Amino acid sequence: MDQVLQPGEKEGEGETFLLRLRGRVRAHGVSRQCDQSEEEQEKKVKKKKKAHERKETSESSEEEGSASDSSSSESESASESEDEEEEEPAEPDTWRRKTPPSSKITPKTKEISLLDLEDFTPPSVQPVSPPKVVSTSLVTDLEGLTLTDSSLAPSLLSPVMGPGKRQELLHRVAGEGLAVEYVFSRQPFPGDPHMVSVCIHFSNSSDTPVKGLHVGVPHQQPGICIQEFPEIESLAPGDSVTAIMGINFSDSTQAATFQLCTQTRQFYVSIQPPVGELMAPVFMSENEFKKEQAKLTGMSEITEKLTLPDTCSNDPIIVQRVSATANLGRIPCGTPDEYRFAGRTLTSGSLVLLTLDARVTGAAQLTVNSEKMVIGTMLVKDVIQALTQ
């Protein structure tokens, strides 16, 4: 590059050569600088591409995770959108560098069908009305148990025993072949719960039919009300029929007198109830029994001592005889050889409580608590007679 000035050349030509030489050196340096600057720019571009590719890979992984949590409907929509994106032309690299990274795809809320909600719907509970009559089997199951101190409202019991023995109302000789008997059914009378339900049994032993059986105008008696049975149009020879009538005795043992009529005859008859048929059984706890008993002391309490025979020394016989005498319900008792019964009079609803203490061998004590002193006195007499006979 450097050329030596030959002798004989002019000085002006030497200066011109030097100037040219300097220009070449400067151009060579500039070209080297341009090459270096281009290399640095290429390195920067490569670094930017790598960083951009890392961002795209991270975003794609996040998008795949969110897409996996979405529902099947979202996956189908996502696949359709991806197909549409594939059909679109790819953007140049320069556009990708300038566009900012897209935000994360938020998953759509899953649609809940109304049919799915039926699985979470609680079953409907239909209200059950409490029974008005408690079965006597419950009393048997609760024998020997002591209930809690919580107060229980006395509830009506079904009859402890069925109808008793039939009693004669009209003899067949006096009735010219028509015989009439009656029995206390111990069932609530449909027309009036304050009435005693009486079953009347008719039988015709004559050779001719009996027609027009009905109750005539009853005899006016204070406090007694009679509900007649429907008229029996005809009763053929050898046939029998039963009718039900109601009588309100007003918590007394006074007899109810009325006429029993046919088309040709009239018969005066009367029905007198035992004191035990003027009440209906109730159920209560032993503690409730004791609380009510404590309220009925003094003149409302009657106590008698008796000796139980050997034939009346076990539970079944004692319970059967007391229940046959009075329409009372047995109360569960935790003390052995002690018996409690309770009932209410039909007309006034007064409580009648009966206690039999047979813990002493042979000797026993009978106690009746009731505000109806006449009923209590008569009940003690009838129960003692039933237990000692």
Side-chain angles (χ1 to χ4, degrees), residues 308-314 317 321 387 389:
L308 296 176
D310 296 336
T311 56
C312 186
S313 59
N314 53 21
I317 295 178
R321 291 189 179 185
L387 293 175
Q389 65 181 5

Side-chain angles (χ1 to χ4, degrees), residues 48-58:
K48 288 181 179 180
K49 286 182 178 181
K50 290 181 179 180
H52 184 67
E53 289 175 357
R54 290 177 182 175
K55 290 181 179 180
E56 287 182 350
T57 54
S58 62

Side-chain angles (χ1 to χ4, degrees), residues 269-338:
V269 295
S270 62
I271 297 177
Q272 185 175 10
V275 66
E277 301 298 337
L278 300 176
M279 55 198 70
V282 297
F283 173 77
M284 63 180 68
S285 68
E286 183 179 10
N287 293 330
E288 186 70 14
F289 184 94
K290 292 180 180 179
K291 289 179 182 179
E292 296 295 337
Q293 189 179 37
K295 300 176 185 178
L296 298 172
T297 57
M299 297 295 291
S300 300
E301 182 176 86
I302 302 171
T303 301
E304 292 289 342
K305 293 184 179 181
L306 66 154
T307 301
L308 296 176
D310 296 336
T311 56
C312 186
S313 59
N314 53 21
D315 291 355
I317 295 178
I318 292 175
V319 174
Q320 188 271 335
R321 291 189 179 185
V322 173
S323 300
T325 304
N327 190 18
L328 300 174
R330 187 177 180 185
I331 305 302
C333 183
T335 305
D337 297 329
E338 189 173 10

Side-chain angles (χ1 to χ4, degrees), residues 42-92:
E42 289 177 0
K43 289 180 180 180
K44 290 180 179 179
V45 170
K46 290 180 179 180
K47 288 181 179 180
K48 288 181 179 180
K49 286 182 178 181
K50 290 181 179 180
H52 184 67
E53 289 175 357
R54 290 177 182 175
K55 290 181 179 180
E56 287 182 350
T57 54
S58 62
E59 290 175 1
S60 63
S61 62
E62 291 177 357
E63 290 176 359
E64 289 176 358
S66 62
S68 62
D69 295 333
S70 62
S71 62
S72 60
S73 61
E74 294 174 1
S75 63
E76 292 177 0
S77 61
S79 62
E80 292 177 358
S81 61
E82 289 176 1
D83 294 339
E84 293 176 359
E85 290 177 358
E86 290 177 1
E87 293 176 358
E88 294 179 357
E91 297 179 354

